[in-house]
Amino acid sequence: MINGEKKLQNPIRWAMVGGGRGSQIGYVHRSAALRDQNFQLVAGAFDIDPERGKDFGMNVHVSPERCYPDYKTMFEEEAKREDGIQAVSIATPNGTHYEICRAALNAGLHVICEKPLCFTTEQAKELETLAKTKDRVVGITYGYAGHQMIEQARQMIEKGDLGEIRIVNMQFAHGFHSEAVEADNPSTKWRVDPKIAGPSYVLGDLGTHPLYISEVMLPNIKIKRLMCSRQSFVKSRSPLEDNAYTLMEYDNGAVGTLWSSCVNAGSMHGQKIRVIGSKASIEWWDEHPNQLKYEVQGKPAQILDRGMDYLYPESLAEDRISGGHSEGLFEAWSNLYTRFAMAMEASDRGEKLNDCWYPGIEAGLEGVRWVENCVRSADNGAIWVEYQ
Ligand code: NAD
């Protein structure tokens, strides 16, 4: 149970790059980091516009002299201070992640980076090596994975409640971009520009979320080969896709599908994962994150609820308010931010955080690798490709 008592000796001195006024995801980072007092927001380069960034920073109680015009100045100036930053979160558009993450690691900082970590597996491997060399933690904000019922699903699969795993059906298919909303929405505009978004739109922006959830639930199976077909229903988005289907084969003989879409008209989030075993299936939907459907062949379906005593103890560890009360995205992110903080503190002691998982740099690399393989398949006529 989490009740706000400290998990670290001292809060980590923390800064943000991006995530300023009007950004989609900045507030979720701050809420998650500050919720359990594991981080203290002391500096930032919050905006591409320095003046707006400074004004914003002061409005979230950062001292004016620590609201910087850009991340390079921030890393340089903070390194001169005895109380300089120890960690930074990167919440800028995709095309900047690689260079900011590399600069942060070179400055000796722990990093929390938005997905996608970068554009190519080559870049991701370089960042992974750098993080190892510098002995710094890189956390990736696959935030939905912090929901407690994801841990319950992981435990059920590990303990054999489903039997042998055969099928993994995933989707993240919302309808918000069924039309060319990017004409009036800056947050969407860069997402359909390959120079800023990278080699994909919905595969990277949406599909990598349930993909990571599947990696958490099923750590022991690996993709062997995949086939992907991608489309741009709003033609101006081409070559980036607004819809894609990926079919996967795993090394244990299981198969999987992942539907990534922003043109699923009428759908809110539409992020679901259904894992089907030889005895039973489970299904989780991010619009009802406190519940996990458990269906045993030949028996009535059950809905398992967050915070209840019948769950495995591992899934109760991060309960904050007991069953019946709803917890949501903000709590899920806080759970991950707490793990990032504990991993950072362990690293500073020269140790590793062994007793819990979190989306680290290998998760960032895996997301980039999956997108790269999907695009290679799709752009060669939706052919099967060996997973590289
Ligand atoms: P956004 O366009 O709404 O906001 C981007 C912010 O970054 C703005 O404040 C902008 O001024 C600032 N910025 C841009 N370049 C900068 C720079 N060089 N230095 C400092 N600030 C800079 O974007 P968003 O929707 O908040 O997305 C940001 C990132 O977060 C993207 O990589 C996106 O994929 C990711 N994201 C992740 C999730 C998730 O669930 N993990 C959800 C939404 C967005």
Side-chain angles (χ1 to χ4, degrees), residues 17-26 45-49 52 91-94 96-97 100 114-116 141 143-144 186-187 190-191 205 209 333:
V17 183
R21 185 174 295 141
S23 72
Q24 188 185 43
I25 207 65
F46 295 100
D47 202 300
I48 190 75
D49 176 330
R52 196 171 52 191
T92 51
N94 303 354
T96 59
H97 296 173
I100 302 176
E114 265 305 344
K115 36 61 57 174
T141 38
Y144 305 99
S187 266
W190 65 256
R191 283 175 158 83
D205 203 52
H209 280 293
W333 275 65

